[in-house]
Amino acid sequence: MSAPTTTDAVERARDAAARESWAEAYELLHDHDRHPSRGLTADDLTVLADSAWWSGHVDESVTARLRAHAAYLAADDHRGAGLTSWWLHYEYASLGRPAAAAGWLHRARHHLEDFPDCPEQCFLAWTTSEEAEAHGDHEAALAATRRMTALALASGSPDLLALSRQAESHVLLAAGRRTEGLALLDDAMCAVVAGELSGMVTGWLYCLALTQCMEAADLSRAVEWTNAAMEWCAPPWSGHPPADDTAAPARTPGPLPMTVPSGENPFRGVCRAHRVEVLDLLGAWALAEAEARQACREVPVDCLESAAAAYYAAGDVQRRQGRLEAAAVSYGHAHELGRIPQPGLALLRLAQGRAEAAVAGVDLALACRNDPDHDVLGRARLLAARTEVALAVRDVAGAARAAAELDALAGDGDGDVPLLRALADTALGSVALAEKGPDALLPLRRALAGWLELRVPYEAAQVRMLLAAADRAAGDEEAARLELGTARAVFERLGAVPDARRAAALVSGGSRRRLPGGLTAREAQVLRLVASGGTNKDIARELVISEHTVARHLNNIFAKLGVGSRASATAYAYAHSLL
């Protein structure tokens, strides 16, 4: 009676795996494997490894795959052993064990490289491409991806073909061939969104494509594919209402994420971390922070960089809302998980009045990221922050250098990149404004149009603040007040409290009419006291300044008003309602 039952359990597990019902397959094979007398074939051990990984049991996955490799070797199946070796390389690398990963990659090559062309060699070609790319050899990387494509076409596997398209797009984007790279990426993602691929390859491609889109500053694709990824990651209906991810507690979780619970999609936390970046840009800050907390709970232990990205994004939200202590904690968690929390940390230090620390932090981050090929947006954000920090410490020349590099970065490659262009125009306009040149309005208006088209509200509101300053410098007070009012409304909606207060103060300050004759506020004070009959000594005592300073102010007043006596200055004050 036991033999049919045993066979039936394995068959049901195989059927569950074919349906990608991984929790069911894991439970059946795990129970079956607990009995030493019930052996599993190499293929069944591979199914056990796959189902253990999907169910959140990473250590069991590795153990089962080691046994599968031994079983393939015993059967003299070098293709099976080679593919299993590559998977062990992948799993050990994900677990942070590079020596073990390198050993299993060597074994995979030993098993497969002397074989005639076969589908399993696609994975070796993929790894070869990544290694060449890491060494900056774009030609070798491209050759490896094209071999991968040839093998995929010969195999007829939609999975392998989509992976090869993505791999080639990655190399082309890194080489600056943006149009070709994005076309191939679109091709691969068509198969993903249409549901033509296996779960593993679907998850891989969502994660890889979302990373590529953000690094290439392609916000529109990032928005579209993030939404599709979260729909794919949503847990199947189980008779219970889905958890409300946005209702997570407000406290910041600890620095280490938990293992994915059994039955959940292991890619869910990684995709959610990407979604946090998109929500942050689109101004959905409350949801972004809640999703960041949820992502840190869902991210698998072998994807800590995604948890770091989520903590960093949460820190950015908290900083702009004026919650500086909470932002410091979030940036600290991101740092613990291996991410350099810049430029957010530098901007936090600037908000705390620690300008020297801000300059040092952003400069060091720029020095560490001197090759922008793989993360154009990352370097662009650092340069934008370097411009802002330099202007804050009155280093206009340093700000101009950073803005010029950002402008060149936005102009590199083929094809328009709206997000980079908006960043560059904002930096150029802010520098021109600081230089008091007449050219600030044009780049700032271009920047505002760019941010509005991208639907990125916070940056658009920041540009409106700069435009208000430029309008006032040009004497257009009405335009300045319109820009400030709109910016204030956006800041209040987002919860950006410090910016909203600044906009409100500038609106009320600008509502006072401009002083006649080009007088400063201090000169107007001195003139009022002169008109009231005060001597230089009286005025000095009243304003708590020296008599020498009073005399200097009077000389300036006489020169600006074109008068030569206190009596004439008094008459001017009465005529222009300054008293």
Side-chain angles (χ1 to χ4, degrees), residues 534-553:
T535 65
N536 285 12
K537 186 175 183 179
D538 295 332
I539 296 169
R541 188 186 311 112
E542 177 73 20
L543 299 181
V544 196
I545 56 178
S546 69
E547 289 186 48
H548 174 75
T549 302
V550 174
R552 181 167 53 81
H553 283 314

Side-chain angles (χ1 to χ4, degrees), residues 10 14 29 32-33 38-48 64 67-72 75:
V10 174
R14 292 170 183 165
L29 288 177
H32 176 87
D33 196 46
R38 300 176 181 176
L40 290 173
T41 67
D43 288 345
D44 290 333
L45 286 167
T46 297
V47 172
L48 175 58
R67 291 169 59 197
H69 178 264
Y72 282 124

